[in-house]
Structures are given as C-alpha cells and as structure tokens.
Amino acid sequence: MASYSPSSDQKSDTLDAGNVEDFKVHVFQSSSELLEKLHEKWSKVEKQPYPAMYSSTYGGIILDPALMVIPIDDHMVHRGHGVFDTAIILNGFIYELDVHLNRFLRSASKAKISSPFPRSTLRSILVQLAAASQIKKGTLRYWLSAGPGNFLLTPAESSTPAFYAVVIDENFSQCKEGVKVITSAIPMKSPDFATMKNVNYLPNVLSKLEAEEKGAFASIWVDEEGYIAEGPNVNVAFITHDKELVVPFFDKILSGCTVLRLLELAPKLVEQGRLKGVKTTNLTVEEAKSSAEMMFVGSTLPVLPIIAWDEQPIGDGKVGELTMALSDLVWEDMVAGPTGTQRIAVPYI
C-alpha cells in the first residue's frame, strides 16, 4: 500500500509514525473555528464542483460547500441503508426526472425506507435545487436514507428518514470513441440487490478498478447461468449480425432509465430499415462476443461504443455504425426531446 507523506505545512496536524508519543489531536473549541478551517480548504478549490446541495436534516438548500455534510450517525453512512438515483441537466433542462424519480421510490420501498415527503415535494425540491445551482450542464444526484439517530443496525424508532440531493458541475458529451472491456471476476450482486439502486456499490467499485488495472474501461458481469448481465454502473447492449438490437433481460440487473428509453427510440431505425428488430433476451458470453457491435448505455454517455472484450475485437474492432445511430437518437432526445415529459425546464432565477 502506498504511504502518505504530508507536506511541511501539514506536519503539525498529521501523525508522524516515528514520534507517536508527541502527536496530539487538535480539538476544535468552537463551530466558528471548524468552519474557518473548512472554508480555508474550499478556498483553494479553483472551481466549485458542487454548487448546491439540499438536506432535509437542514431543511433547505445549501450553497456553501463547507456545510455540505451528512451526519456521521446517518444509517446510510455507517450501515449502507440508503438508495439513490441520478438525472442529468443538459442545456438548462432536467432529462427524464420523472422516470428516475419513480425508480428511486421503488428502490426505497424495497429497502424499507419511507420518504419524509410525498413524491411531488421531492420533485419540487430537485427542480428548485437545480435552479439554485445555476448549472446548465451537470448531474443531479439524490439519496433517501434511513436517517440519523444511532449506530445500531436498524434506525431508532424516533429516527426520521433523510433526503439529500446535490448538483454536480459535470461536463459530458456524446461518446464517439470506442473502449475496451473485460469479463469481471468480482461476484455480481444477487438479483434482489442488483435491481435496487442502493448505496452499496463496493462490488461495482471493485469491478471498475479491476478493469482499469488491466487497461480496460470497465468490466462486464456474467451471471451464474453464464448469461450477460451488465457493467459496473451501466447497461450493455448488442447489435447482432442480423442487425437486431439485443438487450439482456432486466430480471437480475438494474433496469437503466437510459436503456429503457433507447428501447423506445430504437424502433425508429427499424422503420428506416436500418435495424431489423429490437428485443430483450438472454445472451451467452459466446453469443455476445460474436456480436457485430456492442455498447454501454447510461445517463451521461448516453451510448458508449465497445470495440474489444477480453482483447477480442467486437465485430471489425471499430465503432459501429448502428451504435452511433442509436447514440444519435438518444442524444437528440436529451437535447430536443418533448418538454414536460422527457425534459423539464429549470426555472433559473
């Protein structure tokens, strides 16, 4: 494991392994002293990556990054008892917020977390948060937690579930370059947990790290029956040599909002005669690797071409024409899709 060496101005606050008996932990005597320290930290950041946060424990929107914190006894922090979801903000519109919010509440129900607000209020908070952030392009991430109150496995009877949300200033664009993937050796989540967007993402993190360590972009999970599942935080789709769009069944994996929208939009290519069909089905590794084209599908991609898997080229090893045609469909929907349903205008002040 790599060691950490503090800079000279940090040594007074950092444990020196050779002089443990001389080390004294600083005790903050007041909230103002701590806040000053936090502001000092954030003053060194050139561009604020999190322009706005909402916290139900605070009861409002926070614009000061030094105050964007979650209680240490929140059960999402110390027990992983929480769910989350993400929507994107593009050109001043929130894309597919309602679809994501519906999935969010389904996940919360599975996790036995009740919302402190009705759905309409959650939606309103997220729209107002996006407006307060002044961000025209980024991501909107939000969580429901069992809430703070104790350090036991289950929350205290008096605990109130908590809702948090943050706007992330994030630049993204339509992906046009192909990437390489590997088969993951990390065990995938059981269906009960994989179909719920919960905060336990350690398998996902390890799967992604595993790929990066081998020079690949990400890993592909294969289930215990040998069928293709998903990527670490994205769905996967294929184009067969018969020009069919094929997506794995969602019974053991997360039903991604973007891939579901892709399945709705793809018939346009069937009408144009470019695709012969669209279906969800089980695919074996052999079938998947022998496909003509392959892609990841996710919110900020929205479609990412895959050109090699376990060092084996997919198709001709180049970005597929139909992959990019599908990407164009989703990107156009993100940029100019129906307002009020697919896209919600952010009421910036």
Side-chain angles (χ1 to χ4, degrees):
M1 183 179 291
S3 60
Y4 170 70
S5 300
S7 59
S8 57
D9 61 343
Q10 292 174 312
K11 287 183 179 178
S12 60
D13 296 328
T14 308
L15 176 62
D16 183 344
N19 299 284
V20 176
E21 67 279 3
D22 298 328
F23 178 73
K24 287 185 171 53
V25 178
H26 179 75
V27 177
F28 290 96
Q29 299 295 332
S30 66
S31 57
S32 59
E33 182 191 2
L34 175 57
L35 193 56
E36 182 181 351
K37 184 78 171 180
L38 290 169
H39 281 142
E40 180 186 348
K41 169 197 167 184
W42 281 104
S43 68
K44 297 173 184 176
V45 177
E46 268 188 44
K47 186 180 180 183
Q48 160 61 296
Y50 318 121
M53 173 189 175
Y54 174 84
S55 168
S56 64
T57 59
Y58 283 173
I61 293 171
I62 306 119
L63 303 179
D64 185 343
L67 298 177
M68 294 180 183
V69 295
I70 294 175
I72 192 66
D73 65 343
D74 190 299
H75 278 252
M76 184 168 70
V77 174
H78 66 85
R79 296 298 182 189
H81 194 179
V83 298
F84 78 103
D85 220 301
T86 307
I88 68 164
I89 302 170
L90 182 59
N91 299 338
F93 288 81
I94 306 174
Y95 183 64
E96 289 211 305
L97 176 59
D98 289 308
V99 176
H100 283 272
L101 196 52
N102 289 340
R103 182 177 66 179
F104 179 61
L105 291 173
R106 288 197 301 271
S107 294
S109 177
K110 289 180 180 180
K112 299 185 184 301
I113 301 171
S114 59
S115 172
F117 307 111
R119 183 191 183 282
S120 58
T121 302
L122 294 175
R123 188 181 190 274
S124 178
I125 289 169
L126 293 172
V127 172
Q128 290 181 61
L129 178 66
S133 76
Q134 295 297 309
I135 291 296
K136 304 296 192 296
K137 187 178 188 180
T139 52
L140 177 61
R141 188 164 298 185
Y142 40 100
W143 298 261
L144 265 177
S145 161
N150 63 31
F151 285 94
L152 302 177
L153 273 176
T154 55
E157 289 185 9
S158 58
S159 294
T160 301
F163 179 59
Y164 307 108
V166 67
V167 174
I168 304 168
D169 188 354
E170 183 177 357
N171 190 27
F172 53 86
S173 58
Q174 186 179 12
C175 296
K176 298 184 178 181
E177 300 294 324
V179 299
K180 298 179 180 181
V181 299
I182 64 169
T183 302
S184 182
I186 305 298
M188 65 180 287
K189 298 174 186 175
S190 67
D192 282 346
F193 292 104
T195 55
M196 176 203 322
K197 202 168 175 71
N198 62 83
V199 299
N200 183 0
Y201 256 45
L202 184 56
N204 310 64
V205 171
L206 294 177
S207 176
K208 176 72 169 167
L209 288 173
E210 165 194 43
E212 291 175 351
E213 288 165 359
K214 295 182 179 180
F217 175 79
S219 297
I220 301 291
W221 267 315
V222 178
D223 70 20
E224 70 281 356
E225 296 180 81
Y227 294 124
I228 305 304
E230 60 185 342
N233 62 342
V234 283
N235 290 102
V236 62
F238 304 86
I239 302 291
T240 69
H241 288 280
D242 292 329
K243 296 188 182 300
E244 272 192 314
L245 170 64
V246 180
V247 174
F249 284 132
F250 299 112
D251 55 332
K252 298 179 182 178
I253 60 174
L254 190 71
S255 54
C257 296
T258 306
V259 77
L260 290 175
R261 184 58 176 162
L262 177 67
L263 291 171
E264 292 175 350
L265 295 170
K268 292 182 180 180
L269 296 186
V270 177
E271 293 169 8
Q272 296 169 13
R274 302 179 69 183
L275 274 179
K276 288 192 177 177
V278 177
K279 68 178 182 181
T280 56
T281 190
N282 285 323
L283 287 98
T284 64
V285 173
E286 183 180 0
E287 290 170 331
K289 286 187 174 181
S290 64
S291 61
E293 302 179 30
M294 180 178 175
M295 67 206 81
F296 277 140
V297 185
S299 294
T300 58
L301 301 174
V303 174
L304 176 61
I306 296 172
I307 57 174
W309 182 357
D310 290 333
E311 300 299 331
Q312 175 183 325
I314 297 296
D316 61 6
K318 299 177 181 178
V319 174
E321 178 186 344
L322 288 172
T323 296
M324 290 314 302
L326 290 166
S327 178
D328 289 341
L329 280 178
V330 181
W331 187 258
E332 178 63 24
D333 195 56
M334 291 163 62
V335 172
T339 56
T341 53
Q342 294 305 117
R343 300 186 307 136
I344 298 169
V346 178
Y348 298 104
I349 300 172

